[in-house]
Amino acid sequence: LEVTLDRPKALNAITIEMIDEIIFQLDRLQQEDHLVGMVLLGGGGKAFSAGGDVRAVYDDGHQNPHLAPSDQTAQFFLREYQMNLALHRSEKPVVSLVDGIVMGGGVGLSFHGARAVVTENALFAMPEVAIGFVPDVGGTYALSHCPGKLGLLLGVTGARLKGREILDAQLVHGFIQSEHLDVLREKLSRATSPENVLEITDAHIDRERREFPDLSVIDQACQGSMNDMAEALKNSEHPFLQRAYAGLTRGSPLACHVVHKQLTSGLGQNLIDALRLEYRLVVRMLRKKDFYEGVHAVLVDRSHQPEWLYPSISDVPESELSDILEPIDLPDWDPDKRY
C-alpha cells in the first residue's frame, strides 16, 4: 500500500483532510489481510512534508489568541497526534521514504514508523522557534534519541541537517541514494508478509551510523541554562554552532526558553508521554503573542521581522516558565481516544 502526500505547491504541508486519509489507510492496513505494509512518500520532488498547515492555525486564532485553541484547531492537533501514535503502533510496518524537505509535522509523519529512510536530498529541521512555537508531533521523543545534547541544540535553534547527517543524528533508521528508490519501491510492492517488508527495506538501505562530528563541542556549548547556552553559542567559532546561533537569534526568545525546558525536563522519553506534554505546550503557545507574530512575519507579510514579546533571551522572566510543563485547563491528549 503506497500513500503519497500530494500538496507539492505547499511543500506537502499537512491538512486535517490528509490526517484523516492517513488514519483511514492505517485502519485499512490493519484490517485487510492482503496488505502487508505501507510506504509513505512525498509528491512533487521537493519535499516529503515541510510541516503542519500553521497558516490555517494562525487564521483561526490570531484575532483572539486568549480564546485559543478553537474546537477546530484543537481537533487538528489531537487528531494529528492520534495519527502519529497510530503510525508508531501499527502492527504492520510503515516505511517512510524521505527524499526532500522534512520538518515539523512531516517529522511526525515519517520518523515514528517501523522504518524511516532518508536520501541525500533529505533536509531535516524542527524550526518551530522561528514562529514562536515548539517541536511537537513527538519531536520531544525523536530529539531525545540524538547523541549527547545534539537534540537540544536542534530543538532550541532549529538547526538543519542534510542527508546522511540525519542518520548519524540517530533520528532515522537508514539511508539510501535517491537513484535506488524506485528499485526499493518495486520490490516492496511484491512483499509477501510484514516481516518481508522489513527484510527488503533493510537489504536496500545503509543502517550504519557514523559518530556525529564534534559532539563534545556541541555538548560543551549546550550545558546549563538557556541563557548559558545562548552565550556559549554566541562565543563559539565552530561553523555548525555559528549557524545554530543564527537560528537562535531569529527565534522567539520565549519559545527558545520553553523548548529548552521541554527538552531538558526528562519528560517525553516515550512517544505517548511526549505527545501529552506537547499538547499542553501547544495550547499554551497558541495563547501567546509570539506564535501569531512569528507566522505573520514568516508566512503572511514575509518581512521576517517579528516583534517578539521579549526582545532577547536574557529578558524572559522565570515567572513565564514556572508552570509551563504542568496540566492545562483543557483535558490532556488521550492516547486511547479516537478524536
Side-chain angles (χ1 to χ4, degrees):
L1 174 61
E2 275 199 356
V3 175
T4 301
L5 309 177
D6 193 24
R7 290 185 74 210
K9 288 183 179 176
L11 299 179
N12 299 324
I14 301 160
T15 63
I16 189 71
E17 291 79 16
M18 292 163 76
I19 292 168
D20 288 346
E21 181 63 25
I22 290 167
I23 291 174
F24 172 77
Q25 296 297 343
L26 282 168
D27 287 343
R28 266 191 71 205
L29 177 64
Q30 313 311 316
Q31 293 163 12
E32 298 183 20
D33 291 343
H34 71 284
L35 297 174
V36 296
M38 178 189 287
V39 175
L40 276 174
L41 304 158
K46 189 170 182 181
F48 177 86
S49 172
D53 192 353
V54 293
R55 178 62 192 267
V57 177
Y58 167 89
D59 288 342
D60 198 42
H62 73 100
Q63 292 184 328
N64 292 295
H66 62 286
L67 299 177
S70 69
D71 291 345
Q72 178 180 331
T73 291
Q75 186 71 5
F76 174 85
F77 285 101
L78 292 166
R79 196 144 171 78
E80 184 178 26
Y81 296 1
Q82 178 186 326
M83 174 189 69
N84 299 146
L85 186 60
L87 288 162
H88 187 64
R89 281 179 164 175
S90 176
E91 293 178 7
K92 297 176 184 177
V94 177
V95 178
S96 300
L97 302 179
V98 178
D99 184 36
I101 297 166
V102 60
M103 296 182 182
V107 171
L109 251 179
S110 55
F111 284 17
H112 299 318
R115 294 291 184 273
V117 182
V118 295
T119 74
E120 74 279 7
N121 301 317
L123 179 66
F124 160 87
M126 294 300 276
E128 288 82 1
V129 292
I131 57 166
F133 205 53
V134 296
D136 67 326
V137 297
T140 317
Y141 170 69
L143 292 170
S144 74
H145 287 88
C146 295
K149 295 186 181 294
L150 176 61
L152 175 62
L153 181 76
L154 295 173
V156 166
T157 68
R160 298 178 171 194
L161 300 178
K162 186 115 168 69
R164 192 182 279 274
E165 288 178 328
I166 307 166
L167 174 62
D168 296 341
Q170 301 181 26
L171 288 160
V172 294
H173 303 96
F175 175 87
I176 188 172
Q177 289 290 338
S178 57
E179 63 191 25
H180 299 143
L181 281 175
D182 287 345
V183 171
L184 174 56
R185 287 172 62 190
E186 196 275 328
K187 293 200 173 174
L188 285 171
S189 73
R190 293 188 275 121
T192 55
S193 68
E195 295 75 22
N196 191 218
V197 170
L198 297 178
E199 290 165 2
I200 291 169
T201 303
D202 290 346
H204 286 78
I205 64 175
D206 181 355
R207 302 186 73 187
E208 186 175 341
R209 297 182 174 115
R210 304 167 304 191
E211 186 173 336
F212 199 88
D214 300 327
L215 191 59
S216 61
V217 179
I218 292 169
D219 287 352
Q220 183 67 32
C222 295
Q223 291 183 11
S225 69
M226 183 66 253
N227 292 339
D228 295 334
M229 185 173 163
E231 194 65 23
L233 292 176
K234 179 181 179 180
N235 294 326
S236 175
E237 296 181 0
H238 190 282
F240 181 60
L241 295 184
Q242 287 179 335
R243 291 196 299 274
Y245 180 68
L248 193 72
T249 60
R250 287 192 294 269
S252 151
L254 174 61
C256 291
H257 273 277
V258 172
V259 175
H260 187 276
K261 219 164 181 69
Q262 173 186 358
L263 298 178
T264 57
S265 66
L267 303 173
Q269 299 298 299
N270 66 61
L271 185 56
I272 288 173
D273 289 346
L275 292 166
R276 187 181 290 118
L277 170 68
E278 289 160 6
Y279 184 63
R280 295 177 182 179
L281 293 174
V282 162
V283 170
R284 286 202 162 94
M285 298 309 278
L286 290 179
R287 293 172 178 173
K288 301 285 187 185
K289 168 190 174 185
D290 279 9
F291 172 73
Y292 303 97
E293 272 291 316
V295 176
H296 191 269
V298 173
L299 296 177
V300 182
D301 72 4
R302 300 181 187 273
S303 68
H304 294 272
Q305 293 183 316
E307 294 184 12
W308 301 123
L309 194 57
Y310 300 101
S312 73
I313 282 174
S314 60
D315 289 314
V316 179
E318 183 57 36
S319 58
E320 275 277 19
L321 307 165
S322 57
D323 63 350
I324 199 79
L325 306 178
E326 298 303 314
I328 49 175
D329 57 354
L330 297 176
D332 274 333
W333 172 78
D334 183 346
D336 298 315
K337 183 175 178 180
R338 283 189 76 96
Y339 289 98

